[in-house]
Amino acid sequence: MYKDILLAVDLGQQQGEENAVQTVVEYARAFKSRVHIITVVPDFGMSLVGSFFPKGFEKGALEEADRQLHAYAQEKLPPEIQRRHIVGHGVIYKEILHYAELVKADLIVMSAHRHGLEDYLLGPNAARVVRHADCSVLVVREGRADA
């Protein structure tokens, strides 16, 4: 049913990703799916903000995110699951949607982190992905896996 699953993870919230990763592992095994695991490094947005960081900082951040993503996938995804690692750079929800289209994802899986005031004012990335995705989206809540 699902050939290509895009798993969006926030490497800064790894503990909150556990249920989503477990769900993807179960789906990938059941459907013999490929897993495209993505993390997104936000851009600086404005050149003014970027000028506060040393030259090469952004490139280094992308390389570090790639290293961490490979280590995370190695630890969390069983070796029999075919995977691809993607480090996006830019606006989080836009990068997720872009890569979902690029890899022809049948399903996007992502976590819903606890709501803060900024989520109510701006809208969380998960809500934006759900609203604009051309494929099915599964938003996995934090909490007990057996609840």
Side-chain angles (χ1 to χ4, degrees):
M1 183 169 188
Y2 299 113
K3 288 179 166 182
D4 289 279
I5 300 172
L6 182 67
L7 170 62
V9 296
D10 179 352
L11 294 174
Q13 300 282 333
Q14 289 184 21
Q15 191 170 6
E17 302 292 347
E18 290 296 321
N19 289 345
V21 172
Q22 289 174 3
T23 299
V24 166
V25 168
E26 289 177 27
Y27 276 44
R29 283 180 171 152
F31 299 115
K32 310 243 185 296
S33 309
R34 286 178 295 269
V35 174
H36 306 268
I37 184 169
I38 183 172
T39 194
V40 179
V41 176
D43 63 7
F44 294 119
M46 300 178 352
S47 59
L48 176 66
V49 175
S51 68
F52 287 101
F53 293 93
K55 185 175 178 145
F57 178 83
E58 209 164 23
K59 182 177 185 261
L62 291 167
E63 290 170 356
E64 179 61 17
D66 186 58
R67 186 194 66 72
Q68 286 184 21
L69 183 63
H70 276 79
Y72 183 78
Q74 179 73 27
E75 177 186 340
K76 300 295 182 182
L77 299 176
E80 73 270 12
I81 294 177
Q82 185 181 0
R83 70 192 77 158
R84 175 182 181 196
H85 306 85
I86 303 168
V87 176
H89 181 236
V91 178
I92 295 170
Y93 80 93
K94 287 182 180 180
E95 288 294 295
I96 293 169
L97 293 169
H98 168 74
Y99 281 102
E101 186 176 324
L102 194 68
V103 303
K104 297 179 178 25
D106 308 298
L107 177 66
I108 300 169
V109 178
M110 57 191 309
S111 294
H113 299 289
R114 298 201 188 280
H115 299 292
L117 181 59
E118 66 277 4
D119 291 333
Y120 291 108
L121 297 174
L122 301 175
N125 287 302
R128 290 178 177 159
V129 170
V130 168
R131 192 167 35 251
H132 298 290
D134 290 331
C135 64
S136 296
V137 180
L138 176 60
V139 179
V140 181
R141 296 251 177 232
E142 290 181 32
R144 294 184 1 208
D146 61 345

